[in-house]
Amino acid sequence: MAVAETQLYAKVSNKHRSKSTSALLESLLTKGFPAHIAQKALVATGQKTTEDAAKWLHSHCNDPSLDDPIPQEYALYLCPTGCLLNRLQEFWKESKRQCGKNRAHEVFPHITLCDFFTCEDQKVELLYDTLKRVGDSFSQCFPPSISLTLHASPSYLGFFIDDSHATVLKDLALAFSSEASALADCQVKPCLKQFHLTLAHKFYPHHQKTLEQLAKCINPREPCQWVAALYSRDMRFVHYQRLRALFQYKPQNIDELMINAGDFIYVDPTHQGDVSEGWVIGTSHRTGCRGFLPENYTEKAHESDTWVKHREYVFGTASRSSPETARESNVKLNGEAHNPSMSRSITSVPLQNAALRRGVLVMRHGERIDQVFGKAWLQQCLTADGKYYRADLNFPSALPTRKDSMKQFENDPPLSCCGIFQSRLTGEALLDQEVMVSYVYSSPALRCVQTAQHVLQGLKLNQKVQIRVEPGLFEWTKWEASKVIPNFMTMADLAGASYNIDTNYRGIFPLSSLVPSESYEDYVSRSSAVIKQIITACPSKGKGVILIVGHGSSLASLTWPLTGLPNRDSSAFAQMVRKIPSLGMCFCEELKEENKWQMVNPPVKTLTHGANAAFNWRNTIVED
C-alpha cells in the first residue's frame, strides 16, 4: 500500500477531532463547571463535542453521584464491518426469532482483545493516543482477512480464530495493554486465550442444532474491514438489568422516576423484592436519578445499549471499503442493522417462512371487570330488586343471560368494556397482519370465551370459525379465591347469548375432572396433555393458526411442553405469571421437517395503556 493510502485508511476514526479534548475541557471550564465534573461529562459522552458534554451535565444536574470520583470501565474490541457484519446481524435476528434470546444477544459481534479495566477520567485521552500508536505499528502486518472456523458445543457456538492470525491479534492485545498500563497508570489485562467471535452463548441445549444450521449459512470469508474499538461502561451497573422506556412517565409521587421514551434504566434484581407488583425501582442512565417506575412502560434492553464508543482504529485497504462505510456499519451496538432497507429484508425472511407453517397463538383474556372494580363489583351494579345497571362506563352494557343465579358471575366474571375493546383491537391487528386463524379453543371461563368472540370479530371470522370450549384450559385451580370450581355458563347458555360456540365439541378434559386446589404438578401435567391433544386434533395439512384463549398461566404451561422448554418451580412460575398483561400472547410455529415446535415473536404487539381513576366532579372541582 502506498504511504498516502496508509495514512488515509490506517488511522483512528473520529469525526470530531477538529477540537482536541483539552480544548473541549477548556470550553467547559469557561462555562463555570468544576474540572472533575467537566472531565466526567466528557468521558460519559466519548469526548466528542462540548455540546454533548454540556447536555449530559444539564441532564445530570440532580444526579446524587455527580461528584463521586467513580471511573468508567474500558475494553478494546475488534469488530467486523461490511458484508460479514451484515451476515452476522442476520444471524442475530434469526437466532433470536427461532430460539429466543441468549447471552450473545447482549453485545454486538466482536473479538475481545482486552478485558474491561478502569481508567481515571483525566487519563482517558492517553488511551486514545495508545490506540493510535499501536494501530499504526500493526497496520502493515495486520492480516487482510482473518480466518474463522466454526465451533459448537451444547452451550456455546462461535468462530475460532486460526492460529496464524491469532498470533497477530495476541501481539496487538499485548502491545495495547502494555502501553496503556504504563501511560495511563491502569491495569489492562489482554485476552490471550483462544480468540473467538461468539455467535450464541448459554442457550438451551435442544436449540443447538437449529443454531448450528443458521450459523452454517454465514460465509466467514465475506468481505470485511476490521476495526479496533474502545468502549466504556458504568462500572456501578455491570450486574444490573437494563430496561428501555417505551413511553414517557411523569411522576405522581416524590419517590417516582421521571422517564422519557427511549431512556435506559438500570435495575438491580436483588432490590425488587419489596416493590409493589407492576413496579420496579431503577436508576436512569440519562439523569442518574433513582426511583419507582411502572414496569409495563418498559421493555428489556441489551447490555451494550448503554456503552459509549470512544475511538476506533480501522485496519484495511481501499480495495475493501472506506472507513466511513465501516463506521456507519457499526453505529448500532445491539446487533440491529443500521441500514433500514437491510432491516426490512431481514425481517421479511421469517414472515415468509411463517406463512408456510402451522402456528399456535396462546393468548391471555382481556381485562376482567373485577380486575378494575374489585371482588364486590357485582354489588355495585345491582339495583335493590336485583336488576343489572351500568355503574360505570367500563361496566359492560349488559350481562349475558344464564339459567342459574346472577351471583355465579362473582366467580366467573365477564370482561370490562375495555377488555372487549382490547380483544377486538387485537383481532383487527391480527387481520392487518393477515394471520389466518383456523381453529379457536377457549377456557370455559366467561372472560376467555368473550375474548375469543371479540378477537374473532376483529378478524371478521366470528361467523366462520366456532369456539371450542375446553375445560382443560382453565387456570391453575389453586389460584381460585373461592377454593371451588366456578359454575361456568353452559354451552346452551353461551350459544343462547350469541357466542359462536361449537356445541358439538366434546372436551379433552371433562368439566367434572377439574379439582379445587390442584397441585402445581397436576396443573402442569393437565396443561401438557391438553396442548398435545389439541395439536393432534387439528389437521396439520397446509397452514393456519390455532388460537388458544386462556389465562396468564396458559402462556407458559402450554408453550413449555410444546417447545420442549423445562418447567420452572411453582414460586418462579407464579412470579412470572404476575407480569403477563391482559391480551399478553406467545406464538409457536411448527418445524414439521424436524418434528418440533419453536417459540417466535407473536405476529402483533400487545396493547399497553395507563390507569384511569374514577372521577367525581363535585368532590374534585367544587368541594376540594
Side-chain angles (χ1 to χ4, degrees):
M1 189 194 306
V3 174
E5 287 180 323
T6 303
Q7 292 174 342
L8 178 62
Y9 292 106
K11 63 181 180 180
V12 176
S13 170
N14 178 16
K15 296 179 182 178
H16 306 288
R17 292 294 287 208
S18 59
K19 280 191 175 182
S20 69
T21 51
S22 57
L24 295 176
L25 177 60
E26 186 63 31
S27 177
L28 290 175
L29 294 177
T30 59
K31 296 178 184 294
F33 294 110
H36 68 288
I37 291 180
Q39 284 280 11
K40 192 170 192 174
L42 287 170
V43 167
T45 55
Q47 299 207 14
K48 294 180 174 64
T49 68
T50 305
E51 290 74 18
D52 287 343
K55 182 178 179 181
W56 185 93
L57 286 166
H58 177 74
S59 298
H60 285 256
C61 61
N62 295 317
D63 184 349
S65 67
L66 189 60
D67 282 312
D68 294 347
I70 303 172
Q72 295 281 300
E73 284 189 327
Y74 299 82
L76 186 65
Y77 286 167
L78 190 66
C79 303
T81 65
C83 294
L84 179 59
L85 176 62
N86 293 345
R87 300 291 82 76
L88 292 169
Q89 289 172 329
E90 289 176 14
F91 171 86
W92 245 250
K93 292 180 74 73
E94 189 65 9
S95 63
K96 189 175 181 180
R97 188 186 74 87
Q98 293 196 25
C99 303
K101 186 177 178 181
N102 64 67
R103 190 68 179 85
H105 289 110
E106 291 290 337
V107 186
F108 44 87
H110 70 279
I111 299 170
T112 302
L113 296 179
C114 296
D115 295 333
F116 275 99
F117 60 93
T118 59
C119 180
E120 296 176 19
D121 293 345
Q122 65 271 25
K123 297 179 180 179
V124 171
E125 189 178 358
L126 297 173
L127 298 181
Y128 304 164
D129 296 337
T130 299
L131 177 59
K132 184 181 188 310
R133 281 196 295 271
V134 171
D136 286 343
S137 64
F138 278 83
S139 62
Q140 296 300 317
C141 62
F142 196 88
S145 64
I146 295 179
S147 297
L148 305 172
T149 303
L150 189 64
H151 172 80
S153 73
S155 63
Y156 177 84
L157 180 71
F159 289 117
F160 280 3
I161 314 304
D162 290 357
D163 289 344
S164 59
H165 295 157
T167 300
V168 178
L169 301 188
K170 177 180 176 181
D171 292 341
L172 174 64
L174 279 168
F176 177 84
S177 301
S178 177
E179 187 166 339
S181 297
L183 287 179
D185 191 25
C186 48
Q187 296 182 350
V188 185
K189 182 181 178 182
C191 184
L192 301 179
K193 295 180 180 179
Q194 174 70 62
F195 283 101
H196 55 274
L197 192 157
T198 299
L199 296 175
H201 182 40
K202 291 187 178 179
F203 48 84
Y204 287 112
H206 65 275
H207 285 151
Q208 181 181 350
K209 183 178 178 182
T210 301
L211 291 169
E212 283 189 57
Q213 290 175 341
L214 291 173
K216 288 175 182 176
C217 297
I218 303 172
N219 177 9
R221 296 180 180 82
E222 289 271 15
C224 174
Q225 193 167 34
W226 291 90
V227 175
L230 187 68
Y231 289 92
S232 74
R233 67 184 184 187
D234 193 321
M235 63 186 297
R236 297 173 298 167
F237 306 113
V238 170
H239 300 296
Y240 283 47
Q241 294 176 349
R242 290 156 185 82
L243 302 177
R244 179 189 287 105
L246 297 171
F247 313 101
Q248 184 186 62
Y249 178 75
K250 295 182 179 180
Q252 308 297 311
N253 297 291
I254 194 170
D255 59 352
E256 293 176 3
L257 183 65
M258 171 71 187
I259 57 174
N260 292 330
D263 282 359
F264 292 106
I265 313 296
Y266 297 109
V267 173
D268 185 351
T270 64
H271 289 172
Q272 306 306 310
D274 298 327
V275 178
S276 301
E277 183 180 339
W279 291 77
V280 294
I281 185 168
T283 302
S284 168
H285 171 70
R286 179 176 60 85
T287 66
C289 297
R290 189 169 185 263
F292 294 93
L293 66 148
E295 189 174 17
N296 67 345
Y297 276 52
T298 67
E299 64 178 1
K300 289 185 178 179
H302 299 282
E303 177 184 336
S304 59
D305 286 341
T306 54
W307 293 0
V308 176
K309 182 194 282 187
H310 287 258
R311 299 292 185 271
E312 60 183 28
Y313 191 101
V314 181
F315 296 99
T317 63
S319 61
R320 289 183 230 162
S321 62
S322 71
E324 191 65 29
T325 302
R327 285 195 294 273
E328 292 303 316
S329 298
N330 202 24
V331 167
K332 287 269 183 122
L333 303 183
N334 60 0
E336 299 291 329
H338 173 70
N339 188 323
S341 63
M342 190 189 75
S343 297
R344 287 192 293 271
S345 68
I346 293 171
T347 53
S348 67
V349 174
L351 290 176
Q352 292 169 358
N353 292 339
L356 303 176
R357 294 173 179 163
R358 193 164 56 142
V360 172
L361 182 61
V362 183
M363 181 184 298
R364 189 191 178 193
H365 57 77
E367 179 184 88
R368 49 193 277 181
I369 195 165
D370 59 337
Q371 185 179 336
V372 184
F373 298 102
K375 293 297 180 183
W377 67 272
L378 192 58
Q379 283 69 47
Q380 300 175 42
C381 60
L382 293 180
T383 62
D385 57 354
K387 293 182 179 179
Y388 174 83
Y389 74 98
R390 197 175 191 182
D392 184 282
L393 284 181
N394 203 16
F395 276 75
S397 57
L399 293 179
T401 302
R402 53 189 303 164
K403 293 179 181 178
D404 52 17
S405 168
M406 283 186 67
K407 187 174 176 58
Q408 301 303 327
F409 281 124
E410 287 185 345
N411 295 327
D412 187 24
L415 294 179
S416 66
C417 263
C418 283
I420 293 171
F421 168 73
Q422 291 171 332
S423 305
R424 191 175 298 119
L425 189 65
T426 299
E428 292 170 355
L430 292 170
L431 179 64
D432 289 341
Q433 293 299 314
E434 300 181 355
V435 175
M436 188 170 64
V437 172
S438 301
Y439 304 92
V440 178
Y441 287 80
S442 170
S443 160
L446 176 59
R447 56 192 180 275
C448 298
V449 175
Q450 289 179 317
T451 299
Q453 176 83 3
H454 291 291
V455 168
L456 285 173
Q457 285 181 359
L459 278 163
K460 299 183 179 179
L461 292 175
N462 50 308
Q463 300 301 320
K464 299 178 181 178
V465 180
Q466 291 186 314
I467 302 168
R468 297 176 175 179
V469 178
E470 172 51 57
L473 292 173
F474 189 57
E475 66 182 343
W476 186 11
T477 60
K478 180 182 177 180
W479 286 343
E480 278 300 293
S482 61
K483 303 302 179 185
V484 297
I485 303 302
N487 286 332
F488 301 114
M489 291 180 67
T490 65
M491 296 302 103
D493 283 343
L494 291 170
S498 300
Y499 296 114
N500 193 21
I501 303 298
D502 183 352
T503 55
N504 295 319
Y505 175 73
R506 296 296 175 263
I508 299 165
F509 275 74
L511 194 57
S512 59
S513 68
L514 293 178
V515 296
S517 300
E518 67 187 326
S519 69
Y520 177 61
E521 291 71 22
D522 286 344
Y523 170 68
V524 168
S525 176
R526 164 163 66 90
S527 299
S528 178
V530 77
I531 187 61
K532 290 174 182 176
Q533 290 282 354
I534 287 175
I535 296 302
T536 302
C538 298
S540 59
K541 296 178 182 179
K543 54 193 176 182
V545 170
I546 303 168
L547 172 61
I548 299 177
V549 181
H551 307 266
S553 56
S554 306
L555 271 67
S557 66
L558 298 178
T559 60
W560 286 349
L562 188 61
T563 58
L565 292 173
N567 293 322
R568 301 185 189 180
D569 61 52
S570 59
S571 177
F573 177 78
Q575 289 288 340
M576 177 204 63
V577 171
R578 290 191 184 99
K579 300 178 181 178
I580 298 173
S582 300
L583 272 298
M585 61 186 82
C586 286
F587 188 65
C588 301
E589 65 178 14
E590 184 181 32
L591 300 177
K592 190 159 186 163
E593 62 280 2
E594 300 178 30
N595 193 29
K596 70 176 185 179
W597 291 76
Q598 65 180 5
M599 201 178 303
V600 298
N601 289 329
V604 299
K605 298 283 189 181
T606 52
L607 175 68
T608 303
H609 55 76
N612 196 47
F615 172 69
N616 184 298
W617 67 270
R618 185 181 299 278
N619 292 345
T620 304
I621 305 301
V622 178
E623 299 177 1
D624 192 7

